[in-house]
Amino acid sequence: MDLRFGDSKPTDEERAAVDALLGPPESSWEGADRSDADLRWARGGRAARDRRDLLLPGLHALNDRVGWISEGGLDYLCRRLTVPPSEAYGVATFYAMFSVRPRPATVLHVCTDLACAAAGAPKLCEAAEARLGPGSGVKVERAPCLGLCERAPAALVIRAGESARPAFEDEVRSGPKGGPGAQLPGNGFEKGRRGRRTAVCAPATPDTAVQAATTPENAPEEPAAALAVPQAPDPRLLLLGRVGTVDPAGLDDYRAHGGYTALRRAFALGPAGVIREVTDSGLLGRGGAAFPTGRKWQATASQPDHPHYLVCNADESEPGTFKDRVLMEGDPYALVEAMTVAAYATGARHGYLYLRGEYPRALVRMEHAITQARARGLLGDDILGQGFSFDLEIRRGAGAYICGEETALFNSIEGFRGEPRSKPPFPVEKGLFGRPTVANNVETLVNVLPILTLGAQAYAAIGTGASTGPKLFCVSGSVARPGIYELPFGATLGELLTLAGVRDGLRAVLLGGAAGGFVRPDELDIPLTFEGTREAGTTLGSGVVMAFDDTVPLPRLLLRIAEFFRDESCGQCVPCRVGTVRQEEALHRIAARTGADAAADITLLREVGRAMRDASICGLGQTAWNAVESAIDRLGAYE
């Protein structure tokens, strides 16, 4: 292994940031002062290599403290972990939230994706850039979807630097002894041990965005998660019933509203009984692939190789998707309980929650829930006196849509570039760290709780025969009441849009997000099921429903989708790496032309789209052409 460290030295801040994560270095081989003992033997190499998975947290530590990752800081982190700097540089440059070039400590990320673009994000960016000039100490960056589509246009402020942990955070992480913990802060301003401060501004105006960027502590108060659920509070909802009703910081409040009933029943059934219940319920994965959850759990549990791992994919980055954020902000203990049930059923003793880097409130809420559950004997050794041990930790993503693909997510956790792996072997055989791994998203896991409390038969009676249970839909765009809606499978698209208050002049509806497809206003009778959308020639995906009226320029919307896939392609395989660029180039050429003038480029688009769909390694390239194809064929976008 050729390390090839440079001559650059870390600053005191960078050294302190890394040491706070890894502890002080033990020898000069790791960056400490040289001693005579270090000339006789090298220490820490193998142990350091075993900590390769701390590379991503280390990059976060540097970026959070300084605002960017310098050569000296990167070299010091690489010495501590015995990682070649070239590899670490490849990882650092893979993620949109990191920078390897100097930039101001404060960055204003303005979402320019579909819902925000339709709500005026380009003008918001221009106004913010005009008011925050070079001397302001703030950098304005155009960002992909921030997961705040119900409050478009959205902005996120991140300010780097060391800051003392505030009193509320100490209370939130420990809570009164034997009590439910302190109330969590209600606004979007968060600060703490990572040294960064964040403020969410949504819906944003030039005034509020500039205020949040210059004085994040005075940012407008962020609405409660319940406001993203127009149906709340409604205890009849199976997945969202506690949002807006239960204190998200209160473990006792959660238990008073049915919390940990499912885990107790799981212990009564045993691992095989839990898997049988999940299988009989007909639960399909809610992340878009719709794979039978019980079959995945059974395949992982039956593997003789140990240890087994559990991974919760909370890196929802599909434009228009924000359901997992609302669940984690409004009902965090439900996810902790659901992960514990999944781990018990599959024989996992350690779990990872891979959380979007753009979700500061969800991060604080989940950290608090994990800490409280651990303190009360609901995580760790001998949970509820049943002899079962399980613990979990949070790993923050850093802005990479491709990490929503499960094997890319494994690579990210392990400290490598988030590039998908070829299959087989499948994750249930060789997943995280080469061990059997079950990976589910937040919504899928939370569905396990009503399966165990109601029973598989009662759960399967909800919805349709092939699509059972309730489904969460993320509705945004040209509607009066955007937000998360919980409906049983089988409700029609028109019924959902009626609940959300669709506006006059509806032009198109995008199902499944950027990787989905458009449908016309006369197709609102499509049943919202996996099989119903498939028969209609579209996809349900993760439950994104974005409505666009006739004020939204469709060609510009398609161009933004193409830009998104070009930016988010990991570049590993040629069909996707080249195809997404060619797709964007063709859409640029025909943006101002229609009819016969665009025919040649439309033919080219079809050829490129087929190549991406047939030959790409993962779902990103395979679906990058879907929305454009549906807009051409169903909406006549360029006629």
Side-chain angles (χ1 to χ4, degrees):
M1 175 170 29
D2 189 358
L3 295 180
R4 291 189 181 275
F5 292 107
D7 297 327
S8 300
K9 303 298 181 184
T11 65
D12 290 342
E13 273 194 308
E14 291 168 335
R15 186 182 292 270
V18 174
D19 289 350
L21 175 72
L22 302 179
E26 296 182 358
S27 71
S28 63
W29 298 97
E30 294 186 37
D33 294 334
R34 188 175 296 276
S35 69
D36 291 341
D38 294 332
L39 300 178
R40 297 188 180 93
W41 64 81
R43 292 179 294 172
R46 176 171 295 178
R49 284 192 291 275
D50 288 342
R51 297 194 296 175
R52 170 75 185 245
D53 65 297
L54 294 178
L55 178 59
L56 183 57
L59 294 172
H60 270 297
L62 289 169
N63 199 72
D64 289 347
R65 180 69 68 90
V66 184
W68 65 289
I69 300 167
S70 72
E71 183 178 342
L74 186 65
D75 268 8
Y76 181 64
L77 177 62
C78 290
R79 285 184 186 276
R80 298 297 316 277
L81 296 176
T82 320
V83 174
S86 60
E87 292 185 21
Y89 182 84
V91 174
T93 55
F94 186 82
Y95 298 97
M97 296 183 72
F98 296 150
S99 175
V100 294
R101 294 181 176 84
R103 67 178 177 184
T106 301
V107 179
L108 173 63
H109 299 269
V110 180
C111 177
T112 57
D113 245 314
L114 306 181
C116 290
K123 293 181 179 178
L124 174 62
C125 281
E126 293 171 3
E129 287 171 335
R131 295 174 60 175
L132 296 168
S136 67
V138 178
K139 178 177 175 59
V140 180
E141 290 190 353
R142 288 164 168 78
C145 184
L146 295 176
L148 296 162
C149 312
E150 84 280 14
R151 307 202 305 269
L156 171 67
V157 177
I158 299 178
R159 174 178 290 181
E162 183 179 9
S163 61
R165 181 184 294 177
F168 83 76
E169 198 172 51
D170 286 320
E171 294 172 356
V172 160
R173 294 183 192 286
S174 60
K177 188 172 182 179
Q183 285 287 334
L184 289 162
N187 62 16
F189 174 57
E190 313 286 0
K191 61 181 180 178
R193 57 182 172 82
R194 293 177 185 78
R196 71 168 187 164
R197 305 180 180 200
T198 64
V200 172
C201 186
T205 65
D207 289 338
T208 58
V210 169
Q211 178 187 358
T214 52
T215 55
E217 62 275 10
N218 296 325
E221 182 173 324
E222 186 181 352
L227 294 183
V229 184
Q231 296 165 298
D234 186 348
R236 295 172 299 175
L237 301 177
L238 294 181
L239 307 181
L240 300 175
R242 282 185 288 262
V243 177
T245 301
V246 174
D247 173 15
L251 177 53
D252 287 339
D253 200 11
Y254 173 72
R255 297 181 76 166
H257 287 79
Y260 283 95
T261 303
L263 180 59
R264 291 185 181 279
R265 182 156 192 264
F267 285 141
L269 291 170
V274 173
I275 293 175
R276 184 167 54 251
E277 285 288 290
V278 173
T279 303
D280 292 345
S281 73
L283 176 64
L284 302 179
R286 302 299 201 244
F291 190 84
T293 304
R295 191 190 307 174
K296 181 186 290 188
W297 286 18
Q298 179 60 52
T300 305
S302 63
Q303 294 296 319
D305 193 15
H306 285 274
H308 296 179
Y309 288 103
L310 169 69
V311 174
C312 175
N313 184 351
D315 191 53
E316 56 173 2
S317 303
E318 184 75 46
T321 309
F322 49 97
K323 55 187 172 62
D324 292 350
R325 169 182 64 82
V326 173
L327 285 170
M328 290 185 289
E329 291 179 355
D331 197 10
Y333 289 104
L335 180 56
V336 175
E337 180 185 3
M339 291 185 69
T340 308
V341 171
Y344 176 67
T346 57
R349 296 296 182 267
H350 196 83
Y352 290 88
L353 171 60
Y354 191 89
L355 179 62
R356 276 200 78 179
E358 297 90 341
Y359 285 175
R361 177 189 271 184
L363 175 64
V364 172
R365 297 270 167 98
M366 291 308 307
E367 283 185 329
H368 173 59
I370 291 170
T371 302
Q372 287 294 296
R374 190 179 293 128
R376 303 280 289 277
L378 298 168
L379 282 177
D381 297 330
D382 194 21
I383 296 173
L384 293 177
Q386 297 294 318
F388 171 66
S389 300
F390 172 70
D391 212 338
L392 63 95
E393 61 182 287
I394 297 175
R395 291 295 172 92
R396 266 196 297 161
Y401 170 72
I402 190 64
C403 288
E405 199 278 338
E406 58 186 5
T407 61
L409 186 155
F410 300 157
N411 278 338
S412 181
I413 291 177
E414 292 176 16
F416 298 93
R417 288 169 62 89
E419 296 174 341
R421 304 171 184 174
S422 297
K423 301 174 186 176
F426 294 98
V428 297
E429 301 166 319
K430 291 188 179 296
L432 187 64
F433 305 119
R435 302 295 185 176
T437 304
V438 60
N440 293 119
N441 77 335
V442 174
E443 184 187 356
T444 305
L445 288 167
V446 171
N447 265 277
V448 173
L449 303 183
I451 289 173
L452 293 180
T453 54
L454 296 177
Q457 305 249 337
Y459 181 92
I462 302 170
T464 66
S467 300
T468 62
K471 179 74 183 80
L472 299 183
F473 297 95
C474 308
V475 184
S476 60
S478 303
V479 294
R481 295 177 294 279
I484 303 292
Y485 287 85
E486 179 183 322
L487 293 176
F489 274 115
T492 66
L493 177 59
E495 291 170 345
L496 174 60
L497 290 176
T498 299
L499 281 176
V502 66
R503 297 174 189 164
D504 295 335
L506 182 65
R507 172 77 171 87
V509 179
L510 180 60
L511 286 180
F518 286 96
V519 299
R520 300 186 304 272
D522 61 353
E523 297 179 296
L524 300 186
D525 58 348
I526 293 176
L528 294 175
T529 60
F530 293 116
E531 66 277 14
T533 52
R534 194 179 306 118
E535 290 173 4
T538 184
T539 179
L540 191 63
S542 61
V544 174
V545 178
M546 305 182 78
F548 300 101
D549 60 25
D550 49 19
T551 65
V552 179
L554 195 55
R556 177 59 230 174
L557 203 64
L558 298 179
L559 188 55
R560 176 57 199 143
I561 292 174
E563 291 170 349
F564 172 81
F565 282 112
R566 178 210 64 200
D567 290 341
E568 298 296 340
S569 172
C570 74
Q572 181 181 197
C573 66
V574 172
C576 179
R577 180 176 71 241
V578 177
T580 52
V581 174
R582 296 292 174 261
Q583 177 173 264
E584 184 196 0
E585 290 174 345
L587 289 174
H588 269 294
R589 287 195 296 268
I590 67 178
R593 295 182 288 139
T594 56
D597 292 336
D601 279 318
I602 290 176
T603 300
L604 175 63
L605 278 172
R606 294 188 186 279
E607 293 176 356
V608 170
R610 281 195 295 269
M612 288 193 292
R613 184 175 292 164
D614 294 341
S616 295
I617 288 177
C618 78
L620 187 149
Q622 294 164 10
T623 60
W625 154 245
N626 286 358
V628 178
E629 179 185 35
S630 64
I632 293 172
D633 293 341
R634 300 179 88 128
L635 305 180
Y638 297 109
E639 293 177 358

